[in-house]
Amino acid sequence: MNSKPRYLPFKNGLLILLLVVSGMSFAQTKVEQIEELLNTYQEYGKFNGSVLVSDQGKVIYKKGFGMANMEWDIPNQPNTKHRLGSITKQFTAMLILQLVAEGKLDLNKPITTYLPDYPKTSGDIITSHHLLTHTSGIPNYTSFPKFMEDESRNPYTPEAFLKIFAEKPLDFIPGEKFSYSNSGYFLLGVLIEKLSGKSYEQMLQDKIFTPLNMKDTGYDNHADILKNRASGYEKQGGAYVNSRYLDMSIPYAAGSLYSSVEDLYKWDQALYTTSILPQKYMTLYFNPSIPAFGNAHYAYGWGVGYAKIGKSKDSIYAIGHGGGINGFNTNISRTTSNKSLVVLLNNTGGAPLNDITTAIRGIMHGKAYDMPKKSVADAVLAVIEDKGIDAGITHYNTIKNSDTYSLSETEMNAIGYQLMGTDRVEDANKVFQLIVKEFPKSSNAYDSYGESFMKLEKNDLAIKNYRKSVVLNPNNQNAITFLKELGDDVSDLVKEVKVSNAILDTYIGKYELQPGFILTVTREGNQLKTQATGQSIIDVFPKSENEFYLKVVDAQLVFNKNDVGNIGSVTLFQGGREMEGKKIE
């Protein structure tokens, strides 16, 4: 009688203890998996930087990998300061919304309301909303010919640098489409200074960094002595070199901040509160505004949309942004449904941070994930540098389908441009030839191949490949521009294709690209429209009877017939990759 009550508490207590130990073991397993993943990425030369991962608002992992300074063998740590690149944009957008909340700025008024000296031809039709969402049409100054060679080392005041792009004609009517533009965010910095009477740097300190105790974050002035500042490096062949100098007055409000993973965790946590911005404007801050980056949307300084969870077909709504600046690339990804965060700051440039983030997300959700593989591009470049282009191509054909190596169009394209940048244009041309053979649906591959022929003064072949690029992506203005410069008549490429409403109606329906991720196709008049789950409606335009392209992003849709002649699926092509969705309604 008396033994039973004494037994049950013990038994329940043991059960509770086992549950706690089991939970701890599961958490440790996650940490061990993240550790193994990142160690392998470092081993393969694909990550060198600082990492922080949080789950349910609590940090579960933070560590540095590789060297913050290779000359002095100083390791990266969680408090190492890295340049952020375009992650800066979310801080610029926050300052803008703070000005809106204070009644000093109307997002929908022309920018000439506040900057009367800005050219009225464009300034009278551009709003701050356009600037925040990359829909202003202002040409992106970092894409100007020879900009990096001619301008990037020179110091400028914001007002002086504004003249670099302010007088240029717009690429399109403001609000018409998304086109990533550092110029727009540079202009937002000027707007902040004008309305506040303080420098952009001081506003950041006063309105964000000091209130949030972000002591390891600031504007990266080259002259400042910063403890724990990482040096930037870039790969060249099989080794690293110091990255090219960039005067930090150039990226300004589009990309001149530095921070640590620990400070970005403080930033993440603050965004769940109203400590620096009222809730009304915080909602506006993250509101999806325009389709961008494939299946995502752009908000104000953030990309928002559903992100993959490891190798699974599951996805989760994520808020994030990447950054790239000489010697650094960065990524921050927040999933607010479980208050998780992944921050990756890399100081060797070009690391596959999206792949790493996807894998970590898989680990955190208990899903399968991809471990890194050795880079085909890195291995091929090493052989090219050592034994020449022919040996490099032979090695490429040997390893490209190996389970040990991964073949990336982007990485192969990068080594082609690296060779072209050192006047080895013939070698670059042969690399681009490999890419178009491997990725025949990629508009960018043919664009690069065409550029190499143009540099070799083989204009007929340049025209041929630029034309292929435009056929694959009729919205490739770069290729159209060069075709015109080469004297080609592009009227047949830009002509309007018409498809009858009867045929368009056969495409109407719902297509499952991933479980729970549906592409809905509708028609209004003679305009075919698509809408992905949780995203806004996008117009698509025909380039043939069953092939359509998007103007807002570099992507295409091909409607496929089944065995009985009805439309059974749609294939989405983007960036050399494809995804097929079965018609379900």
Side-chain angles (χ1 to χ4, degrees):
M1 293 286 297
N2 292 331
S3 63
K4 189 173 183 180
R6 287 197 298 271
Y7 173 73
L8 285 174
F10 172 75
K11 185 177 180 181
N12 291 339
L14 178 62
L15 177 62
I16 292 170
L17 177 61
L18 289 174
L19 287 172
V20 171
V21 171
S22 174
M24 288 173 62
S25 175
F26 180 65
Q28 289 168 348
T29 300
K30 286 184 181 181
V31 169
E32 289 168 357
Q33 288 176 298
I34 294 171
E35 179 87 2
E36 180 189 14
L37 177 80
L38 291 165
N39 278 332
T40 308
Y41 269 103
Q42 183 191 5
E43 178 187 348
Y44 291 168
K46 293 187 172 186
F47 184 73
N48 185 94
S50 303
V51 184
L52 184 143
V53 180
S54 74
D55 192 19
Q56 301 297 331
K58 304 296 183 182
V59 175
I60 63 169
Y61 185 85
K62 62 178 179 178
K63 189 175 178 180
F65 289 82
M67 295 296 157
N69 187 286
M70 296 182 181
E71 288 88 345
W72 287 93
D73 291 333
I74 299 171
N76 276 308
Q77 301 288 354
N79 67 341
T80 300
K81 298 179 176 75
H82 293 258
R83 287 183 175 175
L84 295 182
S86 287
I87 288 180
T88 298
K89 291 179 172 66
Q90 60 201 246
F91 294 96
T92 301
M94 175 58 75
L95 290 180
I96 287 290
L97 285 180
Q98 287 175 338
L99 291 169
V100 173
E102 293 168 7
K104 296 178 179 178
L105 174 67
D106 185 330
L107 291 173
N108 296 309
K109 284 188 176 180
I111 58 173
T112 46
T113 306
Y114 311 102
L115 301 172
D117 294 333
Y118 195 84
K120 292 188 177 298
T121 303
S122 56
D124 281 351
I125 57 174
I126 293 172
T127 66
S128 302
H129 172 78
H130 293 141
L131 299 177
L132 287 164
T133 56
H134 299 288
T135 58
S136 68
I138 299 175
N140 181 19
Y141 65 82
T142 57
S143 299
F144 292 172
K146 295 186 176 180
F147 171 80
M148 295 306 292
E149 297 94 324
D150 296 344
E151 300 290 349
S152 64
R153 301 178 65 89
N154 302 323
Y156 280 89
T157 64
E159 292 75 15
F161 189 79
L162 206 60
K163 297 175 182 177
I164 296 286
F165 60 81
E167 295 286 355
K168 290 187 177 294
L170 299 179
D171 287 339
F172 51 86
I173 298 170
E176 183 179 74
K177 63 179 181 178
F178 174 92
S179 182
Y180 197 83
S181 176
N182 288 299
S183 305
Y185 269 78
F186 191 102
L187 186 51
L188 286 171
V190 175
L191 194 59
I192 289 165
E193 294 195 355
K194 178 73 172 180
L195 292 176
S196 68
K198 298 181 180 180
S199 70
Y200 171 71
E201 179 178 0
Q202 191 61 52
M203 281 289 285
L204 286 166
Q205 199 64 53
D206 292 349
K207 303 290 282 187
I208 301 176
F209 303 150
T210 297
L212 300 183
N213 196 32
M214 295 174 68
K215 295 180 179 179
D216 290 331
T217 307
Y219 193 107
D220 196 355
N221 296 299
H222 179 73
D224 291 347
I225 304 297
L226 284 180
K227 290 185 177 181
N228 303 320
R229 172 162 48 185
S231 298
Y233 303 95
E234 294 173 356
K235 278 189 175 180
Q236 191 172 86
Y240 290 106
V241 297
N242 287 302
S243 62
R244 293 172 297 170
Y245 175 78
L246 172 68
D247 191 276
M248 296 304 283
S249 67
I250 302 299
Y252 183 53
S256 281
L257 298 190
Y258 67 83
S259 190
S260 67
V261 295
E262 292 179 329
D263 260 14
L264 289 175
Y265 170 69
K266 293 178 182 178
W267 169 240
D268 165 73
Q269 291 297 289
L271 295 178
Y272 289 105
T273 74
T274 56
S275 60
I276 58 173
L277 189 69
Q279 185 57 52
K280 171 184 175 182
Y281 300 101
M282 192 66 81
T283 301
L284 183 61
Y285 186 42
F286 294 117
N287 183 55
S289 292
I290 186 78
F293 308 135
N295 294 325
H297 277 62
Y298 207 81
Y300 285 172
W302 295 92
V304 297
Y306 285 89
K308 287 185 63 179
I309 300 175
K311 291 170 64 176
S312 74
K313 293 183 178 180
D314 296 339
S315 59
I316 190 169
Y317 195 77
I319 300 168
H321 210 288
I325 195 166
N326 296 18
F328 295 84
N329 70 312
T330 59
N331 198 59
I332 181 171
S333 179
R334 310 172 66 238
T335 51
T336 54
S337 61
N338 58 359
K339 290 191 175 181
S340 73
L341 171 72
V342 180
V343 183
L344 301 166
L345 305 180
N346 177 76
N347 64 310
T348 52
L353 302 186
N354 286 331
D355 292 342
I356 299 174
T357 300
T358 300
I360 292 175
R361 202 179 288 125
I363 291 169
M364 294 170 71
H365 288 267
K367 302 291 186 180
Y369 56 93
D370 287 316
M371 288 294 288
K373 296 181 179 181
K374 296 178 181 179
S375 166
V376 168
D378 285 351
V380 168
L381 181 59
V383 174
I384 292 173
E385 297 288 357
D386 184 39
K387 299 180 180 179
I389 186 66
D390 293 337
I393 292 173
T394 299
H395 191 54
Y396 167 84
N397 288 321
T398 301
I399 67 174
K400 68 172 184 173
N401 295 319
S402 166
D403 290 338
T404 309
Y405 289 86
S406 64
L407 177 61
S408 162
E409 178 194 349
T410 301
E411 291 179 357
M412 288 295 294
N413 196 63
I415 71 169
Y417 273 97
Q418 183 173 328
L419 292 167
M420 199 151 61
T422 56
D423 294 327
R424 299 169 65 178
V425 185
E426 289 279 4
D427 291 353
N429 178 265
K430 291 179 180 179
V431 170
F432 292 135
Q433 184 178 22
L434 297 175
I435 301 171
V436 298
K437 184 177 180 181
E438 198 67 40
F439 301 97
K441 295 288 187 179
S442 170
S443 170
N444 188 64
Y446 285 103
D447 188 288
S448 300
Y449 198 27
E451 183 177 346
S452 66
F453 277 122
M454 188 167 66
K455 287 185 178 293
L456 291 170
E457 298 183 352
K458 296 181 179 181
N459 290 352
D460 289 347
L461 291 172
I463 290 171
K464 177 182 177 181
N465 283 281
Y466 274 132
R467 279 183 155 269
K468 286 184 178 179
S469 178
V470 177
V471 168
L472 288 166
N473 176 19
N475 201 40
N476 184 354
Q477 294 299 321
N478 180 72
I480 291 171
T481 297
F482 280 120
L483 284 169
K484 291 178 180 178
E485 289 184 8
L486 291 165
D488 187 45
D489 181 4
V490 297
S491 58
D492 63 315
L493 293 175
V494 298
K495 67 180 181 181
E496 183 180 0
V497 176
K498 292 186 178 181
V499 179
S500 70
N501 288 344
I503 293 176
L504 293 179
D505 285 343
T506 66
Y507 304 142
I508 293 173
K510 294 185 177 182
Y511 301 80
E512 187 175 43
L513 296 171
Q514 292 180 6
F517 190 71
I518 309 298
L519 184 72
T520 302
V521 179
T522 57
R523 176 175 69 84
E524 289 186 12
N526 59 0
Q527 178 64 62
L528 204 65
K529 296 176 177 287
T530 62
Q531 183 176 25
T533 300
Q535 301 181 14
S536 60
I537 297 173
I538 304 173
D539 292 344
V540 294
F541 302 87
K543 65 176 188 178
S544 71
E545 185 175 277
N546 71 319
E547 298 174 287
F548 292 76
Y549 68 96
L550 286 68
K551 289 185 177 181
V552 293
V553 290
D554 182 5
Q556 299 176 74
L557 294 172
V558 177
F559 293 94
N560 311 303
K561 291 184 178 180
N562 56 24
D563 293 339
V564 295
N566 298 323
I567 300 300
S569 67
V570 67
T571 306
L572 169 66
F573 294 96
Q574 187 173 8
R577 299 180 180 180
E578 60 183 85
M579 180 186 301
E580 186 166 356
K582 184 179 179 180
K583 191 173 186 181
I584 57 175
E585 287 185 21

